[in-house]
Amino acid sequence: MPRYLSLVRIEENTIDMASADPGFEQRMAALFEEITKAGVMLDTAGLKPTAESTRITWSDGKLSYTDGPFTETKEVVGGYALMQCKDMAEAIEWGKRFLEVHPKKWMVGLEVREVEEPGL
């Protein structure tokens, strides 16, 4: 079965767990339990803030390094999920359900991409 990577996109400075509604963590835990029992979730995690990261760029044969935070970037990858699904439609359905768990006032997006398997 193919694997799919969901990149969770957020506006980093607008998401605050303190602003989440009281049932958010329970809804998320229930969804993660369901997706794990379904044998779909392979790995998932949130990412540390960009203030604690470094971008490395290769250009014109040279490396450059930029320490975060990256003020020029409005939207960043805030987490990921690696899933094994029968097809893109199933991966999108799980992604839709993941987004619907979040508080309505938050701006959260997903980019769902199939993982290119070596040798295929």
Side-chain angles (χ1 to χ4, degrees), residues 32 35-36 38-44 80-84:
F32 280 4
I35 194 170
T36 300
V40 171
M41 184 67 73
L42 301 176
D43 190 28
T44 188
Y80 70 93
L82 182 61
M83 303 177 294
Q84 192 163 25

Side-chain angles (χ1 to χ4, degrees), residues 6 9 17 20 23 26 31 33 36 44 57-58 70 74 80 86 89 91 102-104 110-111 118 120:
S6 293
R9 298 199 173 269
M17 286 302 292
Q26 292 81 11
L31 177 64
E33 182 177 345
T36 300
T44 188
T57 305
W58 175 258
F70 310 116
K74 181 178 179 184
Y80 70 93
K86 65 182 177 203
H102 289 80
K104 292 179 186 210
L110 281 183
E111 179 179 335
L120 298 180

